[in-house]
Amino acid sequence: MAKSNFLIGKPSVEAVNFLLKENKIEKFILKKYIPKTHYAFDKTFEYDGKADFFKAVSSLAEKDYVVGFYSRVLIGNKYFHFPMIDFSNSIVKDLNLNGIKEVLLKLGEKDGFIVNSGRSFHYYGNRLMTNQEWKNFLESCQNHPEIGLKYISRQLGDGGCVLRLTTSAKKPVEPLVISAL
C-alpha cells in the first residue's frame, strides 16, 4: 500500500475518506454515540458517497459523543463491508505494531491502515467483503486473543463494525494512522 503511506501520522478520518474514494462507495453510514454505553444513545446517519466526508463527520461532532465509521457500505444495489478491527483486549497488555501486523497477516489482510486510538489499535482494511465473507472474517478473528471477543460478538450482533473517528471527553485521543500495509 505504498500509495497510501502519505496518510501515516494523519487522523483516521483521512484514511477512511481515502478508502471511500478508492473503492467508489455510493453510500456510507456514520454513527454518533456516547462511548462505553453499548450504543444506548447511538444515532445513525446515511450519506451519499458524493457527500463531503469531512463535513459529514464534523457536522455530527458534539461534546459527549464520538462519530464512528460503519463498515457496511453500498455500491450499486449491493452491500459490502470493509474489514475493521478494534484490538482492544485487556488480555494482551504488551501489544505493539509488530504484533498487530502479525495478526493481520494471519487473517489474510495485506492492504489497509493501522490506527492508534489511544488505549488500543484499530484496523481499516482496503478491500470489500460480502456479508457472508465479513461474518467469516469476524469469526476467524475469534482465534486471536489480541481481538476482544466482546468486540466481535457486538459487531456481529449489530450487523457491522464501528470504529471511532473523533474525540470526546471520555475518548480525548484523536485516532491517528501509524502504519499502512
Side-chain angles (χ1 to χ4, degrees), residues 3-177:
K3 67 180 176 180
S4 60
N5 279 339
F6 71 95
L7 289 165
I8 294 173
K10 304 278 187 188
S12 62
V13 70
E14 293 191 32
V16 172
N17 186 56
F18 174 86
L19 294 174
L20 291 172
K21 288 181 180 189
E22 179 87 357
N23 291 280
K24 298 175 178 51
I25 301 305
E26 293 175 21
K27 287 199 185 218
F28 63 91
I29 294 173
L30 295 175
K31 290 203 173 219
K32 177 174 157 178
Y33 61 96
I34 298 174
K36 305 292 182 192
T37 60
H38 303 288
Y39 306 120
F41 304 101
D42 78 333
K43 298 173 186 170
T44 301
F45 301 86
E46 188 173 294
Y47 292 90
D48 183 281
K50 294 178 180 130
D52 184 315
F53 185 67
F54 299 109
K55 281 185 183 174
V57 171
S58 64
S59 73
L60 298 177
E62 272 188 59
K63 179 183 159 197
D64 293 325
Y65 287 82
V66 295
V67 178
F69 179 70
Y70 190 62
S71 66
R72 195 177 73 164
V73 296
L74 184 69
I75 299 176
N77 62 353
K78 294 184 182 178
Y79 284 98
F80 296 92
H81 289 269
F82 283 105
M84 292 167 42
I85 300 172
D86 185 350
F87 287 89
S88 61
N89 189 343
S90 58
I91 294 171
V92 182
K93 300 248 187 255
D94 58 347
L95 192 60
N96 59 30
L97 184 56
N98 288 334
I100 300 271
K101 286 180 178 179
E102 189 175 310
V103 170
L104 290 170
L105 289 174
K106 286 179 184 174
L107 289 168
E109 291 302 304
K110 300 174 186 131
D111 189 5
F113 300 99
I114 300 170
V115 172
N116 183 337
S117 67
R119 289 187 287 188
S120 69
F121 297 96
H122 294 168
Y123 173 72
Y124 293 91
N126 187 14
R127 67 185 178 99
L128 295 170
M129 301 180 282
T130 65
N131 198 55
Q132 188 58 53
E133 290 169 335
W134 173 77
K135 286 179 181 176
N136 294 344
F137 172 75
L138 280 186
E139 288 170 2
S140 68
C141 287
Q142 293 176 0
N143 299 322
H144 300 278
E146 300 86 353
I147 305 165
L149 289 176
K150 244 171 142 178
Y151 170 78
I152 296 166
S153 63
R154 182 174 299 137
Q155 307 313 305
L156 283 168
D158 289 345
C161 296
V162 177
L163 291 176
R164 176 174 71 85
L165 297 170
T166 64
T167 62
S168 73
K170 290 183 180 179
K171 297 284 188 173
V173 177
E174 181 177 34
L176 297 176
V177 176

